[in-house]
Amino acid sequence: GLLVCSGGESGELVHFSAHRFTAKDVHAARHPEEVPRRQDTTLTVDHRHMPCGGNDSWSRAHEPEYLIKPGQYKTTPTL
Protein backbone atom coordinates (compact mmCIF):
# COMPACT_ATOMS: atom_id res chain seq x y z
CA GLY A 1 0.00 0.00 0.00
CA LEU A 2 0.88 3.67 -0.19
CA LEU A 3 0.02 6.42 2.28
CA VAL A 4 -0.19 10.00 0.96
CA CYS A 5 -0.19 12.72 3.66
CA SER A 6 -0.32 16.49 3.44
CA GLY A 7 2.60 18.37 4.88
CA GLY A 8 0.57 21.57 4.92
CA GLU A 9 -1.89 23.09 7.34
CA SER A 10 -3.61 20.89 9.88
CA GLY A 11 -6.65 19.21 8.41
CA GLU A 12 -5.74 20.06 4.83
CA LEU A 13 -6.91 17.49 2.29
CA VAL A 14 -4.65 15.85 -0.27
CA HIS A 15 -6.02 15.39 -3.78
CA PHE A 16 -4.55 12.47 -5.68
CA SER A 17 -5.28 9.91 -8.36
CA ALA A 18 -3.64 6.66 -9.41
CA HIS A 19 -4.10 5.34 -12.95
CA ARG A 20 -2.65 2.78 -15.33
CA PHE A 21 -2.23 5.53 -17.96
CA THR A 22 -0.55 8.92 -18.19
CA ALA A 23 -2.01 12.37 -18.87
CA LYS A 24 -0.19 12.26 -22.23
CA ASP A 25 -2.01 9.01 -23.07
CA VAL A 26 -5.39 10.65 -22.38
CA HIS A 27 -4.60 13.74 -24.44
CA ALA A 28 -3.42 11.60 -27.38
CA ALA A 29 -6.58 9.45 -27.43
CA ARG A 30 -9.68 10.49 -29.33
CA HIS A 31 -11.90 7.90 -27.63
CA PRO A 32 -11.76 6.26 -24.17
CA GLU A 33 -11.01 2.84 -25.65
CA GLU A 34 -7.84 4.28 -27.25
CA VAL A 35 -6.23 5.02 -23.85
CA PRO A 36 -3.62 2.29 -23.31
CA ARG A 37 -3.49 0.34 -20.05
CA ARG A 38 0.12 0.48 -18.87
CA GLN A 39 2.05 -1.89 -16.61
CA ASP A 40 3.11 0.98 -14.31
CA THR A 41 0.81 3.06 -12.13
CA THR A 42 0.96 6.85 -12.47
CA LEU A 43 0.35 8.69 -9.18
CA THR A 44 -0.66 12.34 -9.40
CA VAL A 45 -0.68 14.41 -6.18
CA ASP A 46 -2.29 17.87 -6.31
CA HIS A 47 -2.14 20.55 -3.66
CA ARG A 48 -5.62 21.98 -4.26
CA HIS A 49 -8.57 21.52 -6.62
CA MET A 50 -11.23 23.98 -7.67
CA PRO A 51 -14.41 22.96 -9.50
CA CYS A 52 -14.51 23.60 -13.25
CA GLY A 53 -18.31 23.72 -13.62
CA GLY A 54 -20.71 26.17 -12.08
CA ASN A 55 -23.71 25.81 -9.79
CA ASP A 56 -25.85 25.29 -12.85
CA SER A 57 -25.22 24.04 -16.37
CA TRP A 58 -24.77 27.43 -18.05
CA SER A 59 -22.44 29.49 -15.84
CA ARG A 60 -19.06 29.28 -14.16
CA ALA A 61 -20.33 30.74 -10.88
CA HIS A 62 -19.02 28.99 -7.76
CA GLU A 63 -19.75 29.37 -4.10
CA PRO A 64 -16.98 31.50 -2.49
CA GLU A 65 -16.00 28.69 -0.10
CA TYR A 66 -14.88 26.54 -3.08
CA LEU A 67 -12.72 29.16 -4.81
CA ILE A 68 -8.93 29.08 -4.58
CA LYS A 69 -7.79 32.62 -3.89
CA PRO A 70 -4.78 34.01 -5.82
CA GLY A 71 -1.56 33.76 -3.90
CA GLN A 72 1.44 31.58 -3.17
CA TYR A 73 0.80 28.18 -1.67
CA LYS A 74 3.26 25.66 -0.33
CA THR A 75 2.84 22.05 0.68
CA THR A 76 5.18 19.16 1.26
CA PRO A 77 3.33 15.89 0.70
CA THR A 78 4.73 12.77 2.31
CA LEU A 79 4.55 9.43 0.51
Side-chain angles (χ1 to χ4, degrees), residues 52-62:
C52 59
N55 294 337
D56 48 46
S57 61
W58 59 85
S59 73
R60 293 177 13 162
H62 300 290

Side-chain angles (χ1 to χ4, degrees), residues 2 4 15-21 40-45:
L2 178 65
V4 181
H15 302 270
F16 71 93
S17 62
H19 300 284
R20 292 292 178 111
F21 51 81
D40 297 329
T41 301
T42 299
L43 176 69
T44 304
V45 180

